[in-house]
């Protein structure tokens, strides 16, 4: 309710969180310890932006392994000008799969939607998306040397083509990923039916409704929703070049409706933070089309060129200010031998 102080997971936002529970080796499921005592997760995105960043990403993953229990990557595992070839996809997959904690990816625009550009190799975006699905999203487990089991939208007969949309539970939090890339959500203004976009927004809306329904049924205290694009929640339309459509309008309307009815808190994490090395600032309460949603907070990942930086989110139930956000820098702390 507007004007009231909410005392849920988003009651306060603090910088400088520390500590966390280290998951045991092997596959793990939802942790009852995490529900009682809390846990940390990491948010990264737009990295690595080229092969020169891969060594830095190794250092980041090592640091995260000491401080957090899982990683959410909000897309763009390559820079826009890198080729969208199988070799690049495989190299980045191998890098992430060596993560010491469970690693989940939400695909970004550079990963498939802009692959038809000259510097990216002039690949077909839908064909590249299907290749990403084969390589990154066919397993019922996350990437990483420790894995979590995930549910995929492709488990639903009607949406078998969307394994990249995943859902899992940790502690009292439900996590969900959506395939929602930047570059206008892959909305294209050429002649003919915009089939890929139209079918995907229906799939995303279904997955989002399922997530809120599941979290409500299971009495989860919070939902974390991760994707690539900045949907321009402030109401400024993210207009396309010619026809003036806001390609995120359906998502924003669905989110606002579901979040308003959800008894817990909602944390949105996505990419597109401005400026290299600029610390992203959480937005709470998040305004969606001008209306503040008291139970919704938004965190943006670091932008391209900030490979050493990541965001640490600490969730600790039973304490005022139960979500803490800290901007971390792996370069400032050299990797341990």
């Amino acid at each position: 309710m507007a004007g009231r102080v909410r005392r849920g997971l988003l009651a306060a936002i603090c910088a400088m969180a520390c500590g966390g529970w280290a998951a045991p080796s092997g596959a793990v499921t939802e942790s009852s310890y995490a529900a009682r005592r809390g846990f940390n997760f990491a948010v990264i995105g737009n990295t690595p932006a080229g092969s020169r960043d891969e060594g830095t990403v190794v250092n980041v993953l090592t640091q995260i392994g000491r401080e957090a229990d899982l990683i959410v990557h909000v897309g763009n595992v390559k820079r826009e000008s890198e080729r969208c070839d199988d070799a690049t996809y495989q190299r980045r997959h191998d890098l992430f799969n060596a993560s010491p904690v469970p690693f989940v990816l939400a695909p970004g625009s550079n990963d498939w939607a802009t692959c038809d550009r000259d510097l990216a190799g002039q690949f077909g975006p839908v064909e590249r998306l299907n290749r990403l699905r084969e390589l990154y999203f066919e397993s019922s487990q996350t990437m990483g040397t420790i894995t979590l089991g995930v549910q995929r939208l492709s488990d639903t007969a009607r949406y078998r083509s969307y394994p990249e949309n995943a859902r899992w539970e940790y502690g009292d939090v439900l996590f969900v990923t959506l395939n929602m890339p930047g570059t206008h959500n892959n909305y294209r203004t050429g002649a003919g039916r915009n089939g890929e976009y139209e079918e995907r927004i229906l799939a995303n809306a279904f997955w989002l409704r399922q997530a809120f329904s599941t979290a409500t049924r299971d009495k989860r205290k919070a939902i974390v929703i991760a994707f690539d694009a900045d949907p321009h929640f402030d109401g400024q339309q993210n207009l396309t070049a010619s026809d003036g459509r806001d390609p995120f309008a359906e998502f924003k309307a669905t989110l606002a409706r579901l979040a308003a009815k959800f008894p817990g808190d909602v944390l949105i994490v996505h990419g597109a933070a401005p400026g290299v090395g600029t610390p992203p600032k959480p937005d709470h309460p998040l305004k969606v089309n001008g209306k503040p949603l008291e139970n919704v907070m938004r965190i943006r990942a670091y932008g391209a060129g900030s490979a050493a930086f990541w965001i640490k989110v600490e969730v600790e139930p039973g304490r005022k200010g139960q979500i803490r956000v800290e901007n971390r820098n792996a370069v400032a702390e050299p990797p341990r031998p």
Side-chain angles (χ1 to χ4, degrees):
M1 182 181 299
R4 294 181 59 184
V5 176
R6 186 178 183 88
R7 295 186 180 274
L9 285 175
L10 304 184
I13 303 167
C14 304
M16 303 307 295
C18 60
W21 172 71
S25 60
V28 296
T29 57
E30 176 197 352
S31 168
S32 60
Y33 183 97
R36 298 192 312 271
R37 297 293 185 87
F39 63 96
N40 302 330
F41 69 94
V43 177
I44 63 174
N46 305 298
T47 188
S51 58
R52 68 183 182 277
D53 286 345
E54 290 175 358
T56 302
V57 172
V58 171
N59 293 342
V60 169
L61 296 179
T62 299
Q63 187 182 69
I64 290 173
R66 295 194 299 267
E67 301 186 25
D69 303 293
L70 60 101
I71 299 171
V72 178
H73 190 306
V74 292
N76 295 330
V77 304
K78 53 177 284 297
R79 68 176 183 271
E80 189 177 69
S81 59
E82 283 185 282
R83 286 179 59 82
C84 296
D85 54 27
D86 285 6
T88 300
Y89 288 168
Q90 184 66 59
R91 191 168 65 252
R92 301 294 153 76
H93 178 275
D94 293 345
L95 176 64
F96 301 144
N97 204 36
S99 166
V101 295
F103 188 109
V104 183
L105 171 70
S109 58
N110 294 351
D111 305 329
W112 67 276
T114 62
C115 286
D116 54 349
R117 298 183 180 181
D118 291 344
L119 291 176
Q122 296 183 322
F123 292 88
V126 174
E127 185 275 330
R128 288 290 83 189
L129 176 56
N130 288 333
R131 183 68 183 105
L132 276 178
R133 287 165 170 162
E134 293 172 354
L135 184 58
Y136 285 82
F137 305 112
E138 283 195 341
S139 174
S140 60
Q141 302 288 318
T142 65
M143 289 180 279
T145 57
I146 298 172
T147 61
L148 284 169
V150 297
Q151 293 178 284
R152 298 197 180 278
L153 179 53
S154 55
D155 296 336
T156 303
R158 182 180 176 185
Y159 297 108
R160 292 199 185 280
S161 299
Y162 298 91
E164 66 272 24
N165 284 9
R167 187 173 73 216
W168 71 99
E169 296 172 347
Y170 203 89
D172 276 334
V173 179
L174 179 70
F175 290 80
V176 59
T177 62
L178 299 173
N179 185 355
M180 197 161 70
T183 59
H184 309 303
N185 203 9
N186 199 43
Y187 178 79
R188 296 173 181 256
T189 56
R193 181 171 174 265
N194 207 329
E196 190 286 320
Y197 164 82
E198 293 171 357
E199 293 169 7
R200 181 168 41 78
I201 63 169
L202 291 176
N204 283 349
F206 171 84
W207 196 232
L208 199 60
R209 291 194 301 271
Q210 286 287 305
F212 276 90
S213 175
T214 299
T216 301
R217 181 197 66 203
D218 296 342
K219 298 181 180 180
R220 298 298 169 189
K221 293 181 179 178
I223 298 176
V224 177
I225 305 170
F227 49 86
D228 169 42
D230 182 349
H232 292 261
F233 287 113
D234 57 8
Q236 295 178 356
Q237 288 188 325
N238 190 26
L239 302 181
T240 59
S242 58
D243 68 356
R245 176 168 181 169
D246 177 1
F248 301 103
E250 292 87 348
F251 166 75
K252 288 184 285 190
T254 301
L255 173 68
R257 183 175 67 254
L258 294 173
K261 297 178 181 179
F262 182 58
D265 294 303
V266 181
L267 177 61
I268 305 292
V269 295
H270 67 76
V276 175
T278 302
K281 295 182 179 180
D283 296 313
H284 177 245
L286 181 66
K287 290 184 179 180
V288 179
N289 296 329
K291 180 181 179 180
L293 297 176
E294 295 295 326
N295 64 328
V296 182
M297 181 169 77
R298 184 260 299 273
I299 300 173
R300 303 182 188 187
Y302 279 90
S306 303
F309 296 88
W310 59 282
I311 299 171
K312 179 178 176 181
V313 183
E314 180 188 281
V315 181
E316 186 174 339
R319 180 189 63 190
K320 183 178 179 180
Q322 293 169 325
I323 280 187
R324 294 172 180 260
V325 178
E326 180 184 356
N327 298 298
R328 301 289 286 119
N329 181 352
V331 170
E333 180 184 341
R336 298 174 186 175

